[in-house]
Amino acid sequence: MKVIAVSGGVISGLGKGITTSSLGRLLKARGIPITIVKIDPYLNVDAGTMNPYQHGEVFVLDDGTEADLDLGNYERFLGQSLVGTHNLTTGKIYRAVIEKERRGDYLGNTVQIIPHVTGEIKRTIREVAQAAGAEVVLVEVGGTVGDIESMPFLEALRELSYELGEGQMAFVHTTLVPVVGPVGEAKTKPTQHSVRELRAIGIRPSLIIARGPAPLAPDIKTKISLFCDVPPEAVISVPDQSVIYEVPLVLEAQGVGPLLSRLLNLPDRPPDHSAWKEFLATYRRGDGAVEIAIVGKYTELRDAYLSHTEAFHHVQGHLGKEIRLQWYDSEDIPRNPTLVARLERADGVLVPGGFGARGVEGKIRAIEIARTKGIPYLGICYGFQMQAVEYARNVLGLDRANTTEVDPASPDPVVCLLEQQKATSDLGGTMRLGAQRVVLTPGSRIAQIYGRTEIWERHRHRYEINPEYFDRLRAQGLAITGMSVDGRVEVLELASHPFFVGVQYHPEFLSRPESPHPLFSALVRAALARQEVASPVAAAPPLA
Ligand code: GLN
C-alpha cells in the first residue's frame, strides 16, 4: 500500500476535496488502481444528522451511508462507487475504540489516543485500501492543520508514513495564497505558518498546492519553495477555475503526475485524459442557453445542492448546451408575484429533496405552475412527494391533502410515514437509505429514459406515497410507473404533459462527468424542446 495524505492550511473551504479527487484522477489516468478516504474530524458518526447549511449536502452511498459531500466529488472524479468505510469520522473511530474497550480487547491497558485511537485510524485506512484492491490510497484530512480535532488523524498519518518507509507515502498540503492590497500582492506568510505547523508535528509536505484567485508568479513559487523546504517544481498553483473538472489538467500541466510517480516509486506511464478533455471541450462549447429553475429552501448555500449542480454540468459536457440554473427560495414564491412570473418563463423546473414544513407551499405552487403551463418538471424525493400532494389538492380536489411530515392531522395524508419507520425514534442512519431496486413499467416514459425496466438508485427518505391513494391518483391520470420490489411508489409521471416526472430516489448521486444521469439529460432535452416550440425563429439555424 502507498499513501497520499492531503492536508489543508490557513482556512477551510479551499477545495481540498477537488484537489484530492484530481490527484486521484491523475493516477487513475495512468492505470494505477487507487481509492480515496475522507477524514472528517467532527464527533458526529456520520453526516446524516447535520444541517445542509453547516456542511452542505449529505451524500448517500450505495450501502446507505450518509456521507460528507466530498465522497460525491471522489465518485464523480474517479467514476467509481465507494462505501461507508471511506468516510472516517472521529465519531466512528471513538465508537469503535470504546466498543473494543468494553469487549475487553485492550484488557489490562490504559486506553489512550496514542496508540489506541491512532492505531484504529491506521487499521481502518489499511483495511479500506485492501478491500478496494488499491495500490495507492489517498487520504484527505478535513479541517485545517492546527485544529485540535484533527490532531489524532495527522499523528496517525505521521506514524503510518514511518511504518510504510521511504518512498511509500507523500504528504500534499493545500494552502491559501491570498492576494492583498491595491497592487494585488500575493502573500506567502500564511502558507509558511501552516507548513511550520505541520512540521512541528513531524510532517514534511512533499507537494504544496497553492490556492488563490490567480496563477502564482514564479518569484512567489520560489519564495514558498525556499521557506517551506520543497523544490520549486513541487509548488503547484491552482487558481480558481470556472469548472472544477479542469483541475486535473491544471495539475497535469505543472508536472504533478510524473512528480507523484517519482515520490511514490510508481512506473510513470503516459496518462490518458482523452475522454476527460472531450467532456471539457463539449462543456465549453455551450452554444444556446437553457434555463432550469431549482426551487428549494437551502438556495443560499449552493453546496447544499452540490450533486444537482454537478449533474447539470455533466449534461452540459455531453449536450454542449449552456445550462443556466436559476435558484428560487421556495419560501419566497407564495409572496412574490414577480418570482412566479419569472418561474413561468423557465424552460424547466426541478424541485429537489428536503425536509420539514418550511417552504413546502412554495414548492407545491412551483409544481402547479410546471404542471399547468406544460413546463418540463423533475421532482426528486420531497419534490416527488409534493407532486402527489399538489395533484391530490388541485386535480383530485382534496384541499387539505398533505404529507404527515408537515400536517400530521391532514384528512388526506397522501404521503405518510413508511411502515418500518413507525417504531423508530433515533434519527441517525434510520431512513430508508442507499441503493434499492426499482422496477419500471415497460413502455413508460421513465423506462424509455433509462432504456431498461430495472434500475438501482440511491434513496434517503422516511415517508412514502400512501397506498390508499394509489387508485385515485391513477384514475385521474397520474401514472405510477416505477415500484420498489416491496411495493412502494418510486416513479410518478403524467402522460398528458411534455415532461412531468417525479422519483422517490436521488438520481443526482449517480451522475458522473463520463456518464451524466439519464433523468437529468432527459429534463434538459425536454427543456430544449420546449424552447424550440416557444421561439421557433430563434431556434432556427442561420441561413447559409
Ligand atoms: N422529507 C421526505 C422524507 O423523509 C423527503 C426526504 C428527501 O427529500 N430526501 O421522506
Side-chain angles (χ1 to χ4, degrees):
M1 177 181 74
K2 295 174 193 275
V3 179
I4 300 174
V6 183
S7 56
V10 188
I11 55 167
S12 61
L14 285 177
K16 228 180 326 141
I18 304 298
T19 304
T20 312
S21 307
S22 301
L23 294 171
R25 185 80 219 170
L26 298 190
L27 297 178
K28 187 148 183 171
R30 289 168 165 77
I32 297 163
I34 61 149
T35 197
I36 308 196
V37 174
K38 170 77 192 280
I39 289 172
D40 283 307
Y42 45 67
L43 272 162
N44 304 58
V45 169
D46 61 39
T49 52
M50 289 195 280
N51 184 324
Y53 267 136
Q54 287 190 25
H55 277 273
E57 158 191 282
V58 174
F59 191 83
V60 181
L61 305 178
D62 277 341
D63 68 359
T65 298
E66 297 169 282
D68 180 79
L69 56 74
D70 272 323
L71 277 278
N73 286 323
Y74 303 163
E75 288 199 347
R76 291 186 280 265
F77 273 77
L78 302 182
Q80 67 196 41
S81 291
L82 302 170
V83 289
T85 44
H86 292 248
N87 194 181
L88 271 183
T89 64
T90 300
K92 275 187 199 167
I93 294 292
Y94 276 64
R95 185 163 77 176
V97 170
I98 291 169
E99 275 168 8
K100 284 185 181 169
E101 186 277 331
R102 291 289 82 186
R103 257 200 329 259
D105 291 8
Y106 309 116
L107 215 53
N109 286 314
T110 310
V111 183
Q112 294 177 299
I113 295 195
I114 305 171
H116 301 102
V117 168
T118 51
E120 187 64 27
I121 296 167
K122 288 182 286 182
R123 193 191 58 74
T124 315
I125 294 172
R126 284 183 195 272
E127 240 175 50
V128 171
Q130 202 165 36
E135 199 174 318
V136 178
V137 53
L138 292 108
V139 182
E140 177 190 347
V141 187
T144 308
V145 170
D147 296 348
I148 291 178
E149 294 190 310
S150 58
M151 285 303 198
F153 291 101
L154 290 167
E155 166 61 17
L157 290 166
R158 185 198 63 79
E159 293 172 14
L160 194 59
S161 151
Y162 172 74
E163 287 165 17
L164 290 172
E166 277 295 296
Q168 297 293 102
M169 185 156 173
F171 284 95
V172 176
H173 191 54
T174 311
T175 95
L176 175 71
V177 178
V179 174
V180 295
V183 288
E185 205 185 340
K187 291 294 190 184
T188 65
K189 192 74 80 186
T191 300
Q192 295 178 36
H193 279 297
S194 79
V195 170
R196 193 176 307 155
E197 194 122 24
L198 257 186
R199 296 174 68 171
I201 52 178
I203 293 172
R204 207 179 135 253
S206 12
L207 200 72
I208 291 180
I209 308 265
R211 295 276 298 112
L216 283 193
D219 62 315
I220 299 294
K221 279 194 177 190
T222 314
K223 199 166 168 187
I224 293 177
S225 155
L226 183 70
F227 280 101
C228 301
D229 197 22
V230 290
E233 67 273 16
V235 180
I236 310 298
S237 168
V238 182
D240 297 340
Q241 304 293 315
S242 55
V243 203
I244 53 172
Y245 303 107
E246 294 278 3
V247 176
L249 303 180
V250 170
L251 297 175
E252 192 74 86
Q254 292 173 74
V256 176
L259 194 66
L260 282 181
S261 305
R262 262 203 319 279
L263 286 168
L264 295 176
N265 290 318
L266 292 163
D268 189 29
R269 305 191 200 105
D272 178 6
H273 291 299
S274 48
W276 203 257
K277 284 183 177 161
E278 201 181 305
F279 165 83
L280 282 166
T282 312
Y283 182 95
R284 272 192 237 103
R285 198 170 74 225
D287 53 353
V290 65
E291 296 194 340
I292 306 286
I294 301 190
V295 183
K297 73 172 181 185
Y298 309 113
T299 47
E300 271 150 54
L301 181 74
R302 294 296 145 74
D303 267 3
Y305 298 111
L306 185 64
S307 293
H308 291 86
T309 315
E310 292 312 317
F312 283 112
H313 284 154
H314 306 159
V315 175
Q316 175 162 341
H318 283 259
L319 293 184
K321 296 282 177 195
E322 188 193 338
I323 303 171
R324 290 197 190 135
L325 301 182
Q326 299 170 333
W327 300 88
Y328 289 74
D329 184 333
S330 58
E331 264 191 304
D332 293 340
I333 290 180
R335 54 186 184 224
N336 188 341
T338 327
L339 269 191
V340 170
R342 215 178 99 200
L343 187 61
E344 286 177 352
R345 290 194 306 272
D347 301 314
V349 176
L350 183 145
V351 175
F355 294 86
R358 187 167 68 83
V360 149
E361 291 304 319
K363 291 180 186 174
I364 294 174
R365 181 84 183 93
I367 295 168
E368 184 187 359
I369 292 169
R371 183 176 58 77
T372 54
K373 305 276 177 200
I375 307 171
Y377 173 80
L378 176 61
I380 294 179
C381 207
Y382 218 21
F384 147 92
Q385 295 174 354
M386 288 306 129
Q387 235 171 318
V389 172
E390 189 276 329
Y391 211 76
R393 287 189 192 174
N394 299 328
V395 180
L396 273 54
L398 309 172
D399 294 344
R400 286 192 53 205
N402 217 327
T403 165
T404 53
E405 180 172 354
V406 174
D407 180 6
S410 167
D412 287 297
V414 178
V415 179
C416 62
L417 209 54
L418 285 159
E419 198 55 46
Q420 76 242 36
Q421 290 288 331
K422 293 189 178 151
T424 309
S425 57
D426 278 8
L427 291 181
T430 54
M431 283 187 247
R432 178 171 180 247
L433 289 165
Q436 313 272 348
R437 187 149 65 103
V438 178
V439 181
L440 308 176
T441 309
S444 61
R445 184 189 302 266
I446 193 83
Q448 279 164 17
I449 290 171
Y450 280 91
R452 60 202 142 101
T453 53
E454 203 185 289
I455 55 170
W456 284 85
E457 290 280 0
R458 296 181 186 173
H459 293 69
R460 182 175 188 242
H461 65 119
R462 237 179 259 291
Y463 295 81
E464 63 176 334
I465 309 287
N466 187 341
E468 284 179 30
Y469 291 84
F470 288 4
D471 288 343
R472 274 179 277 175
L473 291 170
R474 278 196 190 110
Q476 294 295 320
L478 192 62
I480 297 173
T481 53
M483 291 289 265
S484 69
V485 276
D486 53 356
R488 305 178 194 294
V489 181
E490 295 275 5
V491 186
L492 290 170
E493 60 183 74
L494 200 53
S496 58
H497 189 284
F499 188 97
F500 191 74
V501 179
V503 293
Q504 178 62 79
Y505 51 83
H506 290 270
E508 70 275 19
F509 295 142
L510 292 183
S511 189
R512 304 200 171 151
E514 287 156 301
S515 53
H517 196 284
L519 261 175
F520 281 83
S521 302
L523 173 68
V524 173
R525 281 182 209 276
L528 285 165
R530 173 178 162 84
Q531 235 181 15
E532 275 163 35
V533 176
S535 55
V537 181
L543 293 174

